[in-house]
Amino acid sequence: MATHTQGSMLDILKKKMRQAKEEMENARDSAEEAEKRHALEIKRREDAEAEVAALNRRIQLLEEDLERTEERLKSATSKLEEACAAADESERVRKSLENRFSMDDARVDQLEEQLKQARQVAEEAEIKYDEVREIERCLAHHFNIHSLFHPKIFSRTS
């Protein structure tokens, strides 16, 4: 029985060795799988950290761009206010000149009317002068005299 016991012990040891070997292979497979998962998690964390760093850089660039844009907006607003003030001043000057031009137009119209009246009076005076000269000539001829009127006072200079 000693051989039988030894044979059975040997079988038990072989069986235990096989079990230990299987457990070791299973443990090795589990360890390899855990290492792969760990490496994958490290890669994901590094990718996430890189993405966070890129997003932080993008935020910083956007903030700088926002500051520049706000400065340009401030400058543009200031220039717009200046342009509006200049436009208001131009409009005021335009209205003033328009008003002055309107008054000048009225004055020109008035002067043209006075000139027209003065010409008409001058024409009437010339017609009357010509009539008086004709009457004078007729009377002078009729009475055989040279002139009824003093020549310096009634001489025609035109």
Side-chain angles (χ1 to χ4, degrees):
M1 219 155 101
T3 2
H4 188 294
T5 315
Q6 277 182 345
S8 117
M9 279 284 232
L10 192 58
D11 287 336
I12 291 174
L13 282 175
K14 283 182 182 178
K15 187 177 179 182
K16 287 211 180 230
M17 278 180 62
R18 253 183 282 157
Q19 282 178 347
K21 190 176 181 183
E22 283 177 18
E23 286 176 10
M24 183 185 76
E25 284 177 10
N26 287 339
R28 188 180 303 146
D29 289 343
S30 291
E32 286 175 4
E33 188 63 34
E35 282 180 23
K36 287 178 185 177
R37 283 195 311 266
H38 182 258
L40 184 61
E41 287 303 316
I42 289 173
K43 174 78 170 116
R44 285 182 186 161
R45 189 193 76 227
E46 289 172 351
D47 289 347
E49 287 173 353
E51 185 177 352
V52 167
L55 289 172
N56 283 335
R57 177 68 181 141
R58 184 157 187 238
I59 288 170
Q60 181 182 3
L61 292 173
L62 287 172
E63 286 173 346
E64 291 170 1
D65 187 44
L66 176 62
E67 287 176 15
R68 285 191 301 274
T69 302
E70 285 173 343
E71 284 300 316
R72 286 195 313 261
L73 176 61
K74 185 177 177 183
S75 175
T77 300
S78 175
K79 288 178 183 177
L80 178 61
E81 288 172 355
E82 290 173 9
C84 285
D88 290 345
E89 179 63 17
S90 293
E91 181 65 15
R92 187 190 66 74
V93 168
R94 182 192 66 80
K95 285 181 180 179
S96 173
L97 290 173
E98 200 173 72
N99 194 18
R100 183 174 169 198
F101 180 72
S102 176
M103 288 188 322
D104 287 348
D105 269 355
R107 180 74 177 134
V108 166
D109 290 346
Q110 181 184 11
L111 291 172
E112 285 176 346
E113 184 60 32
Q114 287 176 353
L115 177 62
K116 182 179 170 184
Q117 289 173 356
R119 283 184 177 157
Q120 190 174 5
V121 167
E123 284 178 18
E124 289 173 4
E126 188 172 335
I127 290 170
K128 285 182 182 178
Y129 175 79
D130 289 343
E131 289 174 356
V132 168
R133 288 296 283 170
E134 184 61 30
I135 290 172
E136 176 197 22
R137 194 179 59 72
C138 285
L139 286 174
H141 180 70
H142 185 64
F143 291 109
N144 203 15
I145 55 174
H146 290 300
S147 177
L148 294 175
F149 302 107
H150 191 277
K152 287 186 180 179
I153 296 175
F154 291 100
S155 68
R156 189 168 179 186
T157 58
S158 55

